[in-house]
Amino acid sequence: MIGPLVTAKAAQRVATLVGDAVAKGATVLTGGGAPHGALYPATVLTCLPDDALLHHTELFGPVCVIDTFTTGHEAAAKAKAKAKANDTDNGLTCGIITENGTHGLTVARRVRTGIVHINDQSVADEPQAPFGGFKSSGYGRFGGRWGIESFTNTRRIALATQHAHHPF
């Protein structure tokens, strides 16, 4: 069950990004279409072209883009090597689905996002865990001590209530 986005305008933004992706060659496996007020249907896309706006935009909607890779290097190498995972200015979260968890960890170390889910869904975040992205995604960290540290500055202030006695 998927609830509404924050506003009808937000749902329309998602529809526009999906429409652009489809017009440029992405395949809709399920969902898509027009929003109904603030509701947008759960949508799964594949074959997302690099020139689609969605490839370079944080969506914040019920859309999953699936891509497959032959090697972990292909998935997580630097953008110049045409790796999709790091070929964006954003880096909030990603998911890695693999039959080999150790290999998933190896790839996760190379993907530049604040959160990586291996063989799990991205909605299972815990309030005590750090939440935040890399690059242009977000401001600092939320959750646990990381959230407190990102919104505060640690300082030391000393107050002498009387002059210190000097032995000389």
Side-chain angles (χ1 to χ4, degrees), residues 46-149:
T46 189
C47 302
L48 183 71
D50 293 348
D51 65 339
L53 295 173
L54 182 55
H55 179 74
H56 301 281
T57 303
E58 288 184 309
L59 183 66
F60 299 113
V63 177
C64 178
V65 177
I66 297 174
D67 207 342
T68 60
F69 303 96
T70 305
T71 66
H73 179 76
E74 181 186 354
K78 296 187 182 218
K80 292 179 184 174
K82 296 190 178 185
K84 290 197 176 185
N86 291 328
D87 185 23
T88 176
D89 291 333
N90 303 304
L92 183 57
T93 184
C94 82
I96 298 171
I97 307 299
T98 178
E99 292 179 348
N100 182 331
T102 302
H103 179 68
L105 287 170
T106 300
V107 174
R109 286 185 187 102
R110 299 177 69 194
V111 175
R112 305 311 303 154
T113 60
I115 303 165
V116 178
H117 298 274
I118 302 171
N119 294 337
D120 197 9
Q121 57 186 336
S122 62
V123 296
D125 292 321
E126 299 290 333
Q128 72 277 9
F131 181 90
F134 283 10
K135 302 181 266 186
S136 296
S137 292
Y139 303 97
R141 295 285 180 270
F142 299 93
R145 68 177 174 85
W146 299 274
I148 294 169
E149 289 173 0

